[in-house]
Amino acid sequence: MADFQLREYQEEVVERALRGENVIIWLPTGGGKTRAAVYVAKKHLETTPRAKVVVLVNKVHLVDQHYNKEFMPHLGHDYTLMAVSGERDEKDFFGRVVRDKDLVICTAQILYNALINKEENKHVELSDITLLIIDECHHTHKDSVYNQVMACYVEKKLKGEGPLPQILGLTASPGTGGGKTLEKAVGHVLQICSNLDSAIVSTKNYVSELKEKVPRPRKTFDIVEKRLQDPFGDHLKGMMQMIHEYMDLPQDVRLRECGTQEYEADVVVLEQRGVRQDNRLVAQCALHLRQYNDALLINDTLRMMDAYRSLEEFYINKFTTAIDGTDFFLVGLFQENQVELQKLARDSRYENPKMAKLESTLLQQFTPNVKSKGILFSKTRKSIHCLKDWVLNNKALQEAGIKADFLTGAGNGSTYMTQNEQADTIRNFRKGTLNLLISTSVAEEGLDIPECNLVVRYGLLTNEIAQQQASGRARAKDSKYSVVAQKGGREVQRELTNEYLEELTGRAIAKVQEMSLREFHIKITELQREAVIRRKIAESHKVEKKSRNTAASVQLLCRNCFKSVASGSDIKLLDNQHFVNVSPDFKKHYKVGEQVMLGRSFEDWEPGCVISCRNCNKDWGYEMKYKEVALLPNLKIKNLALETPQGRITVKQWKDVPFTVKDFSFAEYCEDNFPDLLD
């Protein structure tokens, strides 16, 4: 393809990268970072012997987006390209793909898996790559997969092992890492530079051109007064108080104000304590209190009926799965109050005033004669489903010509979207079939979404990175960025704090850029050495924790009814990612439900049915069929408790269990389960 041109500010930020230096390009959303990266990749492929470019993204949908919209159109004529994600068969021979192609776009997890996998067809060495492009590189921190990849790089660099690829990072918002002072913000930016072994570059000479090409939206705070009366919320709080009294809270427990995130954190801890202390009354009451608190949070942001339905949905199966007096009390409490709650939720006199303010904010922008495009950001998948229902059933919004749909992250479950559904929604938005996206944070960064006239943030408390990313979506001329919030509420305060942090990020980057080359390299090398030591200490702690108990000395319990259902020695690690129970006796402890639909196929296995506790119906995971022979329960450890020699504990992830899980052996499984067939 004929050479393509960059704008002057883009030429400025790629200058050092074209000289082969490791750099992070810092440009705002819409500033053309990906286009700049394509340009660097093109020049690199033209000038580097045996060039091999790998582009890393942090979300599956970005693999195809970057391939189809940017890299393939500009490089596909002269070079061989491949897009690889977890949904593609190519991941199973990724090493061969990297050897055969000039440029590969993939999720960071696929490259990391290839770095640690020793099978020839799957293995990749960093020395195989000559240019590594990392999209949204501000995610290169802590235990993120970006940082795991770069940890391999940094350790090789410090040992003098090479060759290593050139690094090109792309970000619109490095953030301050939670730092509120210039010193802390500078420390955070240096840490990102250290993790990526890169300097950070931005335009200095063409700021006015950048501002012209990427205008900032007009920001408004659409403030609403607090509702004067809230009988529905008051009734929920009264029910919560009855649960508090029933559970006879321990003296040392202090629960903060109902209807807040702090209260939610308190009852999460309380549930864990109840499980640890074999106190089912406390554990179950805490679980139900969390649902009531969730309903209060929904009531504060959405319609009263949305809050009521969230509780109704939670209790729908509880009526048939009660197993003791605690369950009968909690279910009975809801049943006794159900009619009154429903009546209050339907009383329009007490409806949430934020919804009326949101309606007027949308109507100011959307009129039948004006073509507008907007994104409405909200916090949870549940809230965006409720908001879509509200928009579609709101007469004024429909008359204004609003055609809305939701956009959520890809995943499994009814509230997630498949990758194809995401692509269809964005395509319809681009065509104009839809003109309002109601989205979680998935639309904040990365997605190729057309310029919008309106961005609304509704019921959100996020950091300055998310705020900048969302604001960057309002790129049309004379666009508006609206924060709909309650007067004196925390959303307004957070938004103002984020504005300060955004400005602080710019000052911190300027400070880092002012450092001499020598001072900068001394600083980041020191941070890299510290990071290597920290990782080694963390690894030794992990090994020590894993050797604390034998697998056989740990029992797995249902987290709901506390029944012992398996031994730790029954659990095996399959393909380095699935924790399965290989004991044939385990089947008597669970029942199977509906078929799991994952929307894609896998090399050696396929999903079976949902499994749940035979005693209390608690969800435990699902069966998977491996190599068409083995039917293996794939377990969620967060829905189980662990009885260890040191006492009962709960963990969120399998990596945190205090014993070593051995690898699954298909040969051993067949010997144990089909001995007659192997004779």
Side-chain angles (χ1 to χ4, degrees):
M1 169 173 179
D3 201 10
F4 66 95
Q5 295 300 307
L6 297 182
R7 294 185 175 125
E8 288 180 300
Y9 70 81
Q10 291 171 314
E11 287 181 353
E12 183 183 7
V13 296
V14 301
E15 209 172 88
R16 290 173 65 179
L18 294 176
R19 295 201 299 262
E21 294 181 42
N22 287 2
V23 297
I24 298 165
I25 291 176
W26 174 46
L27 285 175
T29 300
K33 295 180 295 298
T34 313
R35 181 63 53 88
V38 175
Y39 187 85
V40 173
K42 186 173 190 295
K43 296 299 181 187
H44 181 86
L45 287 163
E46 288 170 356
T47 58
T48 308
R50 294 184 297 282
K52 190 74 63 181
V53 181
V54 173
V55 182
L56 297 187
V57 298
N58 65 325
K59 290 175 182 169
V60 171
H61 55 259
L62 297 178
V63 174
D64 284 335
Q65 180 179 298
H66 283 344
Y67 178 82
N68 293 322
K69 297 285 291 183
E70 296 286 357
F71 286 91
M72 193 62 187
H74 293 111
L75 303 179
H77 187 266
D78 300 312
Y79 302 99
T80 56
L81 282 67
M82 176 71 77
V84 185
S85 69
E87 301 187 347
R88 302 274 178 80
D89 291 340
E90 287 85 0
K91 73 180 185 300
D92 299 319
F93 45 91
F94 187 68
R96 213 164 73 216
V97 170
V98 171
R99 286 191 289 277
D100 292 347
K101 303 297 178 185
D102 296 315
L103 184 145
V104 178
I105 304 171
C106 64
T107 54
Q109 190 65 55
I110 284 177
L111 177 60
Y112 181 68
N113 291 347
L115 291 173
I116 61 174
N117 195 311
K118 297 307 171 195
E119 283 182 51
E120 187 182 350
N121 274 343
K122 296 185 178 181
H123 182 65
V124 172
E125 284 285 345
L126 282 171
S127 56
D128 298 334
I129 304 165
T130 56
L131 173 63
L132 184 62
I133 299 172
I134 303 181
D135 188 41
E136 307 293 357
C137 69
H138 50 274
H139 293 296
T140 313
H141 59 82
K142 296 180 182 172
D143 293 327
S144 74
V145 67
Y146 275 171
N147 215 20
Q148 289 175 315
V149 170
M150 284 309 299
C152 299
Y153 177 104
V154 167
E155 289 196 28
K156 284 181 180 293
K157 175 208 164 183
L158 294 177
K159 289 175 185 172
E161 296 176 10
L164 290 169
Q166 178 188 352
I167 304 295
L168 176 63
L170 311 173
T171 184
S173 43
T176 67
K180 301 278 177 32
T181 65
L182 183 58
E183 183 185 3
K184 291 260 178 71
V186 167
H188 172 72
V189 173
L190 278 171
Q191 188 65 62
I192 294 285
C193 290
S194 160
N195 294 346
L196 288 152
D197 196 45
S198 300
I200 187 163
V201 296
S202 55
T203 187
K204 301 287 185 193
N205 302 320
Y206 300 99
V207 174
S208 57
E209 183 196 31
L210 177 60
K211 284 182 177 175
E212 183 191 334
K213 296 296 180 189
V214 191
R216 295 293 295 256
R218 177 172 54 90
K219 185 169 186 174
T220 64
F221 286 97
D222 294 310
I223 303 300
V224 61
E225 295 289 335
K226 187 175 181 179
R227 71 171 94 171
L228 297 173
Q229 289 180 287
D230 182 16
F232 176 79
D234 292 341
H235 198 91
L236 289 178
K237 288 175 183 175
M239 294 169 72
M240 291 168 82
Q241 186 56 43
M242 291 172 75
I243 297 174
H244 290 170
E245 290 165 5
Y246 177 80
M247 69 195 292
D248 192 19
L249 276 171
Q251 288 293 312
D252 59 332
V253 172
R254 290 285 178 271
L255 298 176
R256 284 168 285 184
E257 186 186 351
C258 294
T260 63
Q261 299 289 354
E262 290 79 11
Y263 182 90
E264 180 176 328
D266 291 342
V267 292
V268 165
V269 171
L270 189 61
E271 187 270 341
Q272 292 167 347
R273 173 173 169 163
V275 173
R276 282 198 314 273
Q277 296 179 349
D278 197 27
N279 188 334
R280 191 170 183 277
L281 186 153
V282 166
Q284 285 302 300
C285 286
L287 271 179
H288 287 245
L289 285 168
R290 184 176 181 182
Q291 294 298 322
Y292 280 100
N293 193 66
D294 194 31
L296 283 173
L297 290 168
I298 293 170
N299 181 52
D300 184 54
T301 311
L302 302 163
R303 298 167 296 187
M304 294 184 290
M305 190 50 75
D306 295 322
Y308 169 76
R309 285 185 187 131
S310 75
L311 276 176
E312 186 179 51
E313 196 178 301
F314 174 73
Y315 278 101
I316 204 156
N317 292 321
K318 300 292 179 196
F319 301 129
T320 55
T321 57
I323 59 174
D324 65 11
T326 299
D327 292 336
F328 289 118
F329 166 76
L330 292 166
V331 170
L333 180 66
F334 180 72
Q335 285 179 321
E336 288 162 17
N337 289 273
Q338 192 170 4
V339 173
E340 181 63 18
L341 283 173
Q342 203 169 20
K343 180 182 160 193
L344 290 170
R346 288 199 172 111
D347 194 330
S348 59
R349 290 175 298 169
Y350 307 115
E351 197 48 273
N352 187 351
K354 286 183 189 171
M355 298 297 285
K357 178 59 75 174
L358 178 58
E359 179 185 310
S360 67
T361 300
L362 292 171
L363 288 174
Q364 282 169 23
Q365 189 66 45
F366 288 92
T367 59
N369 304 319
V370 179
K371 283 199 171 183
S372 289
K373 272 189 166 71
I375 305 181
L376 169 56
F377 285 106
S378 196
K379 185 180 178 184
T380 64
R381 292 188 301 277
K382 186 185 284 183
S383 67
I384 67 167
H385 281 258
C386 293
L387 285 166
K388 178 189 171 182
D389 180 70
W390 169 70
V391 169
L392 296 182
N393 289 288
N394 183 298
K395 190 180 175 188
L397 296 180
Q398 290 305 297
E399 287 175 354
I402 292 182
K403 300 181 285 287
D405 206 347
F406 53 74
L407 185 67
T408 69
N412 308 316
S414 59
T415 58
Y416 288 95
M417 298 179 84
T418 66
Q419 203 179 337
N420 287 337
E421 286 170 339
Q422 278 186 339
D424 288 344
T425 299
I426 292 167
R427 195 180 303 113
N428 289 333
F429 188 60
R430 193 177 292 115
K431 283 192 315 193
T433 314
L434 299 172
N435 55 16
L436 180 67
L437 287 182
I438 306 172
S439 180
T440 54
S441 60
V442 70
E444 284 171 355
E445 65 179 37
L447 280 179
D448 181 30
I449 290 173
E451 294 176 351
C452 295
N453 314 80
L454 175 69
V455 166
V456 182
R457 279 164 63 80
Y458 185 68
L460 279 176
L461 290 167
T462 57
N463 64 19
E464 74 281 8
I465 294 176
Q467 181 175 313
Q468 282 173 261
Q469 300 276 15
S471 172
R473 292 291 166 205
R475 299 203 297 272
K477 193 179 178 187
D478 301 324
S479 56
K480 178 181 171 184
Y481 172 85
S482 164
V483 179
V484 176
Q486 185 176 294
K487 186 177 182 180
R490 290 188 300 173
E491 295 99 329
V492 175
Q493 190 54 52
R494 180 65 64 86
E495 202 77 19
L496 295 171
T497 300
N498 287 344
E499 285 177 15
Y500 163 71
L501 294 177
E502 182 181 345
E503 182 256 336
L504 188 62
T505 301
R507 285 166 55 203
I509 290 170
K511 279 279 186 191
V512 170
Q513 290 172 335
E514 286 164 14
M515 289 180 178
S516 70
L517 211 53
R518 183 173 179 274
E519 182 190 3
F520 177 75
H521 281 302
I522 288 170
K523 288 263 189 195
I524 69 165
T525 303
E526 184 184 328
L527 287 169
Q528 287 171 344
R529 289 197 174 110
E530 286 175 8
V532 169
I533 292 166
R534 275 200 311 274
R535 275 193 289 272
K536 285 180 177 169
I537 291 170
E539 195 57 43
S540 68
H541 284 166
K542 201 184 291 182
V543 170
E544 184 273 325
K545 184 180 179 182
K546 294 287 183 191
S547 58
R548 199 176 296 165
N549 303 291
T550 62
S553 70
V554 177
Q555 287 293 303
L556 274 63
L557 284 60
C558 174
R559 187 155 175 170
N560 183 53
C561 65
F562 301 166
K563 185 179 179 184
S564 179
V565 295
S567 164
S569 57
D570 298 334
I571 308 301
K572 304 296 179 209
L573 177 57
L574 174 64
D575 290 347
N576 209 34
Q577 59 179 323
H578 306 290
F579 290 84
V580 297
N581 191 318
V582 297
S583 168
D585 293 337
F586 184 58
K587 197 163 181 65
K588 68 186 181 193
H589 293 295
Y590 69 82
K591 54 187 176 183
V592 295
E594 61 190 31
Q595 172 70 35
V596 174
M597 307 300 290
L598 297 182
R600 57 183 171 130
S601 58
F602 303 89
E603 185 182 19
D604 289 324
W605 67 278
E606 60 186 69
C609 296
V610 171
I611 63 171
S612 56
C613 178
R614 192 178 286 277
N615 187 46
C616 71
N617 216 38
K618 178 73 173 174
D619 171 34
W620 286 350
Y622 61 89
E623 288 182 324
M624 54 189 289
K625 195 173 186 180
Y626 184 69
K627 291 188 184 291
E628 300 182 357
V629 173
L631 195 61
L632 302 164
N634 185 10
L635 301 177
K636 297 178 186 175
I637 192 60
K638 66 178 183 179
N639 290 352
L640 298 160
L642 301 169
E643 195 73 76
T644 76
Q646 297 82 30
R648 189 177 296 180
I649 61 168
T650 58
V651 295
K652 286 183 180 178
Q653 297 175 296
W654 277 104
K655 68 181 177 65
D656 298 320
V657 298
F659 61 92
T660 301
V661 178
K662 291 183 178 176
D663 287 337
F664 174 80
S665 164
F666 185 62
E668 282 181 24
Y669 178 85
C670 290
E671 282 173 21
D672 292 343
N673 289 271
F674 312 109
D676 298 343
L677 299 177
L678 298 173
D679 288 342

